Amino acid sequence: MTASHSLQASAAGRFPRRLTRRRLIAVTAAIALLPVGSAVPAAADPQTTPNGPWSGEKSSSLAAIHSYDQLWSTLRQIENHAQGSFDLSAAPLTSNTGREIPVVTVGDGPTSVMYIANQHGDEYVVSEAMINLIRSISGNSQTAVALRKALTITVVPRVNVDGFDADVTDLAGRTTPWRQNYDPSCTQAPCDPFYEVGRGYDINRYHSYSSNAYDHPYKAGDDNLNPVPEAIAMRLLWEQRRPELVLDFHHQGSYVDEEGGLITGSTMWPNAEAEAERLGIADEFADTVTRSKRAVSVLLTALDEYGYANITRYPSTSTPGIARNAYGLLGSASVLFEMRGDIDAKSNGYIAKTAEVAGMAILEAVADGSWETANLEPVENIRERGPSVDDPHE
C-alpha cells in the first residue's frame, strides 16, 4: 500500500485495530528480515520475535550510506531532474569543521512543514529515508504535484555532518561516526550539559526556544552563548520558515514489546509542560500538544497497514532544549520518530522505508487538512516501549 492509500484511510477516519491476525502478519513479515543462514538452533531460546536481525549477522556497511560528498552530489542530481519548485542550499551556519549542512526546500505552497534527520551522527539510516522522500516529492506524480502546491517542505537530511563522517578524532582517539558534533574544546570535566569530554555536544539538546536563536537553553537569561552551530542553524531555519509542524527522525536501540516482538520504531510529542507553565504559555502549549498528537495519529494509522512496523511510545524526557520540545514551545506541532537502528544493511532498507512512509503520510495529511481532525484513538492506545535487548553477537 502506498502512503497515499494510507492517508486515504486516515482521512476517512478508519483506524485498524491491533488484532491477533495483525500481530501474526507482523511476526511473519519480520521473520523475512532474517539473513539467510541465521536460523536459531532448536535448542536455543530466542529472546525476541523474530530473533534478529542483528548487526553481527551481516555488516551494516557504511558504504551503503551516502557520505558527505555523495549526499550533496545526490541532492544536486535530484535538483537537476526535479519538477516544480526545488531549492538546494546550505543552512545558515556551518559545522565546526566548516562543512555546510544541506537544506532542501520543495514546493511553494502556503503551509510550511519542516523535517530534520540525523542530528546524532551515528543515527544515519534516516538520512537515506530523507533522500528517498525528497526524490518522491520532487517528482511528477499526482501526489507530488499536490504536495508542492499546498506545502512548502523543508528537509534537512543530515544535520550532524561532522558526527557522521568528518575526518576527525576525539580526545580518546576514536573516529566517527559518533553521536555528538565535533567540538573538542572541553578536555576535562566539568563541561556544559550534554557534552562528551574531548568530543562535542549532543545537538538535540541545544535548540533555543526563546526569541533568540543563539540563546543557551541551560543558562539563565537571554544571551548569545549557545555553543552548538548545528542546533542554532536549525533554529534559524525554523525562524525563516515558521513551520506548522516539525518532524525529527532518529534511531534507537533494540527493544521489545510485551509479547517479545521487536519494536521497529517509537514516537513522541512535546511534553515540556513544566517549562511552558514557567513561561506563561501553558494553554498555548496544550493546544500544540494536541495538534502534535494528531500528527502522531496520522503516522500510526499509516504504519499500521505495514506488517513489519511495530510502533510504540518513546519514553522521552521533558528537557526543553530537545528539538521536539523546543519547537513545540515555539508553537509548532512537533513529533519525534525513533527508528530501530544498528542492524544489517538489508534490513536498513525496511527501516528507511518505514520512515519514508511515515513522512509522506504526514505531508499528505497536512496538505489536505485531514490531520487537524485526525482521530486521537491511536495515540491514546499506543503501547509503552518495552525493555532493551542485547545483540547476541556482542
Side-chain angles (χ1 to χ4, degrees):
M1 177 175 289
T2 65
S4 176
H5 291 158
S6 300
L7 178 62
Q8 291 170 7
S10 173
R14 177 168 59 86
F15 173 57
R17 296 180 180 177
R18 296 182 180 275
L19 300 179
T20 301
R21 179 175 177 273
R22 194 246 171 206
R23 292 291 301 142
L24 178 61
I25 292 173
V27 170
T28 303
I31 288 173
L33 305 187
L34 281 168
V36 176
S38 64
V40 179
D45 291 327
Q47 61 178 339
T48 65
T49 305
N51 190 28
W54 307 99
S55 60
E57 294 170 337
K58 283 189 176 180
S59 174
S60 180
S61 173
L62 288 178
I65 309 297
H66 286 72
S67 69
Y68 174 75
D69 291 333
Q70 290 169 342
L71 175 60
W72 273 101
S73 176
T74 298
L75 294 176
R76 291 189 186 101
Q77 290 173 9
I78 296 174
E79 181 180 31
N80 291 337
H81 296 90
Q83 306 295 312
S85 178
F86 189 107
D87 178 69
L88 172 62
S89 59
L93 297 179
T94 65
S95 72
N96 285 321
T97 66
R99 282 178 156 186
E100 294 184 324
I101 302 168
V103 177
V104 172
T105 307
V106 179
D108 53 8
T111 302
S112 176
V113 177
M114 182 172 170
Y115 284 6
I116 61 177
N118 208 170
Q119 288 199 74
H120 297 141
D122 54 1
E123 300 176 7
Y124 40 77
V125 176
V126 288
S127 67
E128 299 299 301
M130 293 302 99
I131 294 172
N132 295 336
L133 180 74
I134 291 166
R135 186 177 285 111
S136 294
I137 62 178
S138 62
N140 59 5
S141 70
Q142 185 176 356
T143 297
V145 172
L147 289 177
R148 294 195 299 269
K149 182 177 180 180
L151 306 175
T152 297
I153 306 162
T154 302
V155 183
V156 186
R158 180 173 298 151
V159 176
N160 194 351
V161 291
D162 285 349
F164 173 62
D165 67 351
D167 186 16
V168 293
T169 58
D170 66 8
L171 187 63
R174 291 168 292 193
T175 59
T176 57
W178 58 48
R179 179 181 179 90
Q180 297 78 13
N181 73 348
Y182 180 64
D183 182 351
S185 56
C186 185
T187 59
Q188 185 175 352
C191 302
D192 271 343
F194 309 109
Y195 179 88
E196 180 75 15
V197 173
R199 177 185 292 179
Y201 290 88
D202 185 332
I203 295 171
N204 193 33
R205 298 297 185 274
Y206 277 86
H207 295 266
S208 169
Y209 53 93
S210 78
S211 59
N212 177 11
Y214 292 81
D215 187 56
H216 195 303
Y218 309 108
K219 293 184 183 294
D222 185 27
D223 57 59
N224 293 306
L225 300 177
N226 191 320
V228 185
E230 298 91 345
I232 299 170
M234 295 305 101
R235 175 64 171 77
L236 290 171
L237 270 179
W238 180 92
E239 201 162 287
Q240 293 172 5
R241 313 300 169 95
R242 298 285 174 167
E244 284 289 318
L245 180 143
V246 177
L247 181 52
D248 183 19
F249 293 88
H250 287 261
H251 291 189
Q252 61 183 0
S254 297
Y255 296 86
V256 293
D257 60 22
E258 68 278 2
E259 298 172 15
L262 276 170
I263 293 166
T264 56
S266 299
T267 184
M268 188 57 187
W269 46 89
N271 66 341
E273 281 82 6
E275 188 66 9
E277 184 72 32
R278 188 187 72 82
L279 294 172
I281 56 171
D283 291 343
E284 295 91 333
F285 187 70
D287 177 68
T288 299
V289 170
T290 298
R291 290 187 294 116
S292 302
K293 287 182 176 180
R294 294 195 189 282
V296 170
S297 179
V298 172
L299 178 155
L300 293 173
T301 303
L303 291 178
D304 203 67
E305 299 291 332
Y306 287 78
Y308 56 80
N310 186 15
I311 311 300
T312 60
R313 173 174 170 166
Y314 187 78
S316 56
T317 66
S318 59
T319 306
I322 292 174
R324 167 180 50 83
N325 281 326
Y327 298 118
L329 289 166
L330 287 166
S332 293
S334 186
V335 175
L336 166 72
F337 195 27
E338 295 259 359
M339 309 304 303
R340 184 184 178 221
D342 301 323
I343 53 178
D344 70 86
K346 176 182 177 181
S347 295
N348 278 342
Y350 290 91
I351 297 302
K353 185 62 178 178
T354 302
E356 182 186 352
V357 168
M360 280 295 291
I362 290 178
L363 288 178
E364 293 183 48
V366 175
D368 69 15
S370 60
W371 79 299
E372 296 177 359
T373 56
N375 188 350
L376 290 178
E377 183 183 356
V379 179
E380 294 165 353
N381 293 334
I382 191 171
R383 298 160 299 148
E384 297 289 335
R385 193 183 72 181
S388 63
V389 290
D390 296 327
D391 184 341
H393 297 86
E394 295 181 348

